[in-house]
Amino acid sequence: MHKQIIAAALAATATTGALAQANTGSHNPALKNPAVQTTAMTAKGHNSFTENQARGRIARDGYTNVSKLMKNQNGVWQGTAMKGGAKVNVALDYKGNVTNH
């Protein structure tokens, strides 16, 4: 009987851990995809990218001469860059999404 109780407790613990790991419905998910996404609007949120990381991520999306990067009050890196021979304003949000306007 004692072994059955221990086995049941271990099974319950293992199931609880699996359920906790399956919870991926966060409204503010961590960056999981290293691929750069281009979006129409930036997302507000705490941005953990450093300036150099932001510059590199914007460059990976095809921009050159990325400059004047500053993080705004919404946690979005904003600056200027060149793409297709034109100077554009670029932004990088906490999710790693790049926008231009």
Side-chain angles (χ1 to χ4, degrees), residues 45-51 54 68-79 92-94:
H46 178 73
N47 194 321
S48 61
F49 288 105
T50 65
E51 182 177 352
K68 300 181 184 177
L69 283 179
M70 304 259 315
K71 197 184 306 184
N72 70 16
Q73 70 276 8
N74 294 322
V76 176
W77 283 103
Q78 294 180 308
L92 177 82
D93 66 17
Y94 77 94

Side-chain angles (χ1 to χ4, degrees), residues 10-80:
L10 289 173
T13 302
T15 303
T16 304
L19 290 175
Q21 291 176 357
N23 184 9
T24 59
S26 173
H27 71 283
N28 191 3
L31 177 66
K32 294 181 183 176
N33 186 351
V36 178
Q37 302 294 320
T38 302
T39 61
M41 287 190 63
T42 54
K44 296 178 185 178
H46 178 73
N47 194 321
S48 61
F49 288 105
T50 65
E51 182 177 352
N52 284 337
Q53 290 170 329
R55 186 179 313 281
R57 194 148 178 96
I58 293 167
R60 279 198 307 258
D61 198 33
Y63 295 89
T64 59
N65 298 332
V66 179
S67 60
K68 300 181 184 177
L69 283 179
M70 304 259 315
K71 197 184 306 184
N72 70 16
Q73 70 276 8
N74 294 322
V76 176
W77 283 103
Q78 294 180 308
T80 59

